[in-house]
Amino acid sequence: MTTRQAGRDLDTSKAHSARMYDYFLGGKDHFEIDKEAALVAAQAHPGIYVTARENRAFMHRATRVLAQEHGIRQWLDIGTGIPTEPNLHQVAQSVAVDARVVYADNDPLVLKYAERLMRSTTQGRTAYIEADATDPDALMSAVEASGVLDFDQPIALSLNALMHFITDPHDPYAIIRRLLDPLPAGSALAMNHCTPDFDPVTWNKVAEVYTKSGSPVQFRSHDDVRRFFDGLDLIEPGIVCCHRWRPAAPADGTEPADAQISLLAGVGIKR
């Protein structure tokens, strides 16, 4: 099931962060303008390809941990991006076949490929809604209208590489509170967020590239990222560079430096 906002057209006049991310992951669902902006960002930080892969890997690990160790069976994934397998519902349903997932994104191109997101198990359910995280009231109304998630049962809010695209004028902390408020105790927030802490010069250059390409960003410090989890119980290992959050052993026995990834990650449980 998919829903979209009326009057939304595909804008190919400027780069879009979701399509740039698709390029970094080696996908094919982007335009030349997205590739050009992505290459400029990669000039500023060649390791951004690794950052994109580690972002995706964290989502997989966090989803498995919440399903296996915390019994979560429902997810709201905001800032879904263009489908790249395995998608969140495929990871969740590999642990629990009855898992339910609602995906939300504000790029019409994601809607075009949303059918790839809909391949649920027969026991579970998935839906895609086109909505903007900067309007959390409308977003949550659309989620409730989909009828996929049971708000009497725990729901995991999955926000991967999203909140650094929501700058302070939009009050990102209020957005998180609005998204978490209707979720019952036992629900979770799983998110990661770019930071300049490890290499401020490089990541300030990356921020300039995104902002000039039409996708303003605000990379935040560890303390500022920690604020998103206020009132939640962080699970181990707390907020760390994402490749250090419950990592699998590297195949070659090596791991990237924190400065190369510069993506903080954490998972918190609602009391």
Side-chain angles (χ1 to χ4, degrees), residues 25 50 85 152 187 200 220 234:
L25 289 175
V50 181
E85 292 191 342
D152 291 327
S187 293
R220 297 182 172 93
L234 281 167

Side-chain angles (χ1 to χ4, degrees), residues 195-271:
T195 181
D197 285 0
F198 305 110
D199 186 354
V201 173
T202 293
W203 284 91
N204 285 337
K205 290 179 181 177
V206 174
E208 289 176 9
V209 171
Y210 272 92
T211 299
K212 288 179 180 177
S213 71
S215 296
V217 294
Q218 185 169 349
F219 300 149
R220 297 182 172 93
S221 69
H222 184 283
D223 287 346
D224 288 338
V225 173
R226 175 66 181 81
R227 284 183 58 198
F228 288 113
F229 294 87
D230 283 353
L232 304 178
D233 294 325
L234 281 167
I235 67 176
E236 291 295 330
I239 297 173
V240 295
C241 203
C242 73
H243 67 296
R244 301 188 187 281
W245 197 95
R246 305 285 184 96
D252 60 0
T254 63
E255 64 179 22
D258 290 356
Q260 183 177 18
I261 306 303
S262 291
L263 194 65
L264 295 172
V267 178
I269 305 298
K270 186 175 180 179
R271 306 185 188 106

Side-chain angles (χ1 to χ4, degrees), residues 6 8 52 59 105 126 145 164 199 202 220 240:
R8 291 275 284 137
M59 181 273 284
D105 202 284
T126 62
H164 46 247
D199 186 354
T202 293
R220 297 182 172 93
V240 295

Side-chain angles (χ1 to χ4, degrees), residues 33-247:
I33 195 167
D34 306 305
K35 178 181 177 180
E36 291 172 359
L39 288 173
V40 174
Q43 268 191 327
H45 177 50
I48 201 166
Y49 298 93
V50 181
T51 302
R53 292 196 298 270
E54 291 295 342
N55 167 60
R56 193 77 183 172
F58 164 75
M59 181 273 284
H60 293 167
R61 297 195 304 275
T63 300
R64 289 191 187 95
V65 166
L66 287 171
Q68 292 171 340
E69 300 180 17
H70 297 270
I72 299 287
R73 296 295 180 265
Q74 304 186 107
W75 277 260
L76 171 55
D77 182 66
I78 303 175
T80 297
I82 295 165
T84 303
E85 292 191 342
N87 295 305
L88 188 150
H89 75 277
Q90 292 169 317
V91 177
Q93 291 176 351
S94 72
V95 178
V97 294
D98 59 342
R100 297 183 172 205
V101 178
V102 172
Y103 295 102
D105 202 284
N106 69 341
D107 184 356
L109 185 64
V110 177
L111 181 69
K112 177 181 176 182
Y113 294 103
E115 286 186 3
R116 296 189 206 169
L117 295 175
M118 300 297 109
R119 296 174 186 169
S120 171
T121 61
T122 55
Q123 299 94 328
R125 289 184 66 187
T126 62
Y128 172 81
I129 61 172
E130 187 184 346
D132 194 324
T134 61
D135 188 354
D137 290 332
L139 189 153
M140 293 305 286
S141 292
V143 173
E144 292 176 10
S146 74
V148 171
L149 303 183
D150 179 357
F151 281 77
D152 291 327
Q153 300 297 321
I155 296 170
L157 179 61
S158 179
L159 307 174
N160 291 291
L162 171 69
M163 295 308 293
H164 46 247
F165 291 106
I166 300 181
T167 56
D168 281 351
H170 292 291
D171 199 347
Y173 299 103
I175 288 173
I176 292 291
R177 289 194 298 273
R178 172 64 182 92
L179 295 173
L180 285 172
D181 277 349
L183 309 187
S187 293
L189 169 63
M191 67 173 285
N192 56 32
H193 192 297
C194 279
T195 181
D197 285 0
F198 305 110
D199 186 354
V201 173
T202 293
W203 284 91
N204 285 337
K205 290 179 181 177
V206 174
E208 289 176 9
V209 171
Y210 272 92
T211 299
K212 288 179 180 177
S213 71
S215 296
V217 294
Q218 185 169 349
F219 300 149
R220 297 182 172 93
S221 69
H222 184 283
D223 287 346
D224 288 338
V225 173
R226 175 66 181 81
R227 284 183 58 198
F228 288 113
F229 294 87
D230 283 353
L232 304 178
D233 294 325
L234 281 167
I235 67 176
E236 291 295 330
I239 297 173
V240 295
C241 203
C242 73
H243 67 296
R244 301 188 187 281
W245 197 95
R246 305 285 184 96

